[in-house]
Amino acid sequence: MSEHSFATRAIHAGQAPDPITGAIIPPIYQASTHVQDGIGGFREGFEYNRAGNPTRSSLETQLAALEGGVKALSFASGLAAEDALLRGILKPGDHVLLGNDVYGGTYRLLTKVLAPWGIETTTVELADVDVIRAAIRPETKIVWLETPSNPLLKIVDIAQIVEVAHAAGLIVVVDNTFASPALQQPLALGADLVVHSTTKYLGGHSDVLGGAVVFGDDRYFDQVKFQQFAVGAVSAPLDAWLTTRGIKTLAVRMRQHSENAQAIAEWAESRPEFQDVFYPGLASHQGHEIAMKQMSGFGGMLSLGLSAGADAARAFAESTSLFQLAESLGGVESLIGYPPEMTHASVRGTALAVPENIVRLSVGIEDVGDLIADLEQGLDRLAR
Ligand SMILES: *Cc1c(COP(=O)(O)O)cnc(C)c1O
């Protein structure tokens, strides 16, 4: 499959028709165990669902092909994937450098769940390589980054961070949830591992929770696979199948998400009600140049800073109708959120706190004229 281009791989990798019936879509193997041909005679290596399931394997093959990795593992959630990766690779006393604007759940996992087991974490400004170099200790094992970040869509230079990290012998993990592999492929830029919340763009239809780890080479696979097997936070067959189905339209969806978000960002820049528009597709954005270099599109996420402040941002988040008020992102339907009290409530008042006057949009693939009209009527309601 690797000789094919992205959109083709997304549809065909791991998706061979059922050999027995010719069903063009591989079936959902809704089974907990597999019959053995004599003791230890596993058919295609399948034994018990926690160790392996054919539907999950299809998805894992597809995920590896999308990111250009050698292998992938699929989990029950993005955080379950992150947890298996971290516990598979780290041991007590190890230290992680974490971008200072990563997903709040990642910060919580490291500082609340893994810290009591001896994993240390420092949050750093990853845009400054001198800050990274200064924060590296003898015990540092991993640099963990997210670009574009949430909710300010900050862009950091993946290849540059890889260079600094690899010079110090560190492992680079990129959370590629916001861009998706349709727009950005960190392994090709030198990263060692990619993680995903497949709940978002990969699933794409707001109907499934899932996560993945994709491996650039074989070094860490067995350790993480062991965690998956020994703990069991695997994706269920139906969830794996739904994710597989979502991925088939990823390329075309990401094009439309990006086109709609760009149009909304440009509209928002022309409106005095917004003092800031955070979207990497705008020339005014802090990371536009780097984004041009490492992304093939700018994605569907953007944040808007209301000129009138926090109360106006809260009210605006409650004033739209096509943009529905909800957490999460990456589905075909547009969502709006107020990060300080929703996605980022757990980091309010910490070093990771976000501005109080912003709303975050997950721009869907509805007609963009309808979406802008919805935002305009929201502003009209604020003015009344
Ligand atoms: C949602 C999200 C996660 C966590 O994934 P879950 O599937 O909710 O466990 C991790 N990273 C990013 C960037 C996310 O948006």
Side-chain angles (χ1 to χ4, degrees):
M1 277 300 152
S2 58
E3 74 276 18
H4 290 124
S5 60
F6 183 85
T8 308
R9 294 201 302 276
I11 292 169
H12 291 287
Q15 302 302 308
D18 177 37
I20 296 171
T21 63
I24 191 160
I25 302 301
I28 306 168
Y29 287 89
Q30 190 71 42
S32 61
T33 192
H34 295 253
V35 173
Q36 305 181 14
D37 296 318
I39 295 167
F42 305 146
R43 299 186 197 172
E44 307 288 331
F46 292 110
E47 174 189 5
Y48 182 65
N49 201 351
R50 179 159 30 72
N53 170 277
T55 311
R56 196 164 88 228
S57 294
S58 291
L59 171 59
E60 290 172 343
T61 302
Q62 196 185 24
L63 288 165
L66 289 184
E67 288 285 2
V70 296
K71 284 175 184 151
L73 292 170
S74 162
F75 292 85
S77 72
L79 282 169
E82 296 184 13
D83 177 56
L85 183 164
L86 290 164
R87 280 185 303 102
I89 293 178
L90 300 175
K91 56 181 189 336
D94 285 346
H95 174 237
V96 175
L97 287 183
L98 192 63
N100 61 4
D101 53 1
V102 298
Y103 180 69
T106 305
Y107 178 74
R108 181 175 57 210
L109 175 66
L110 276 159
T111 59
K112 297 264 166 52
V113 180
L114 297 176
W117 297 92
I119 305 300
E120 294 189 30
T121 302
T122 305
T123 53
V124 283
E125 172 50 66
L126 292 173
D128 186 341
V129 289
D130 292 331
V131 171
I132 303 177
R133 283 199 195 95
I136 295 173
R137 308 186 204 155
E139 314 79 56
T140 310
K141 286 280 155 54
I142 286 179
V143 177
W144 187 291
L145 65 103
E146 212 175 294
T147 178
S149 74
N150 177 19
L152 297 182
L153 289 303
K154 207 177 80 189
I155 304 288
V156 293
D157 189 327
I158 297 174
Q160 187 186 49
I161 294 171
V162 165
E163 199 183 310
V164 174
H166 282 179
L170 312 185
I171 301 164
V172 178
V173 180
V174 178
D175 182 336
N176 204 26
T177 300
F178 265 42
S180 95
L183 305 182
Q184 172 174 281
Q185 303 193 346
L187 299 179
L189 298 167
D192 301 290
L193 300 160
V194 165
V195 297
H196 274 287
S197 170
T198 56
T199 312
K200 316 293 169 50
Y201 286 109
L202 296 185
H205 296 75
S206 309
D207 53 10
V208 65
L209 192 70
V213 181
V214 188
F215 300 81
D217 57 54
D218 276 325
R219 275 174 301 165
Y220 308 106
F221 179 78
D222 289 345
Q223 293 151 262
V224 182
K225 169 80 188 169
F226 179 77
Q227 293 292 326
Q228 187 198 44
F229 164 70
V231 178
V234 295
S235 50
L238 178 60
D239 289 359
W241 185 87
L242 282 168
T243 307
T244 281
R245 176 181 156 120
I247 285 172
K248 291 177 184 175
T249 55
L250 181 66
V252 62
R253 280 189 287 110
M254 291 315 294
R255 263 203 302 280
Q256 196 61 47
H257 281 298
S258 300
E259 193 182 309
N260 285 3
Q262 183 77 36
I264 290 172
E266 287 172 11
W267 164 81
E269 264 200 326
S270 75
R271 298 286 309 218
E273 293 91 339
F274 303 116
Q275 67 179 41
D276 296 301
V277 181
F278 300 97
Y279 186 67
L282 294 176
S284 61
H285 188 74
Q286 150 275 341
H288 183 63
E289 294 297 317
I290 303 168
M292 297 260 280
K293 192 176 70 167
Q294 68 188 18
M295 303 178 78
S296 59
F298 303 110
M301 298 302 297
L302 70 98
S303 290
L304 301 171
L306 276 286
S307 312
D311 290 343
R314 272 186 110 268
F316 185 60
E318 294 177 339
S319 73
T320 54
S321 55
L322 271 179
F323 280 89
Q324 298 176 88
L325 182 67
E327 307 240 352
S328 198
L329 61 114
V332 292
E333 58 288 287
S334 293
L335 301 179
I336 191 166
Y338 180 58
E341 288 180 25
M342 295 172 66
T343 49
H344 289 65
S346 69
V347 294
R348 212 177 194 182
T350 74
L352 275 69
V354 299
E356 295 276 323
N357 70 327
I358 58 165
V359 296
R360 189 188 78 177
L361 306 182
S362 172
V363 178
I365 60 172
E366 300 96 334
D367 179 85
V368 73
D370 290 339
L371 293 178
I372 291 176
D374 186 38
L375 296 171
E376 274 173 343
Q377 70 76 34
L379 289 179
D380 290 347
R381 284 174 59 176
L382 281 194
R384 281 206 291 274

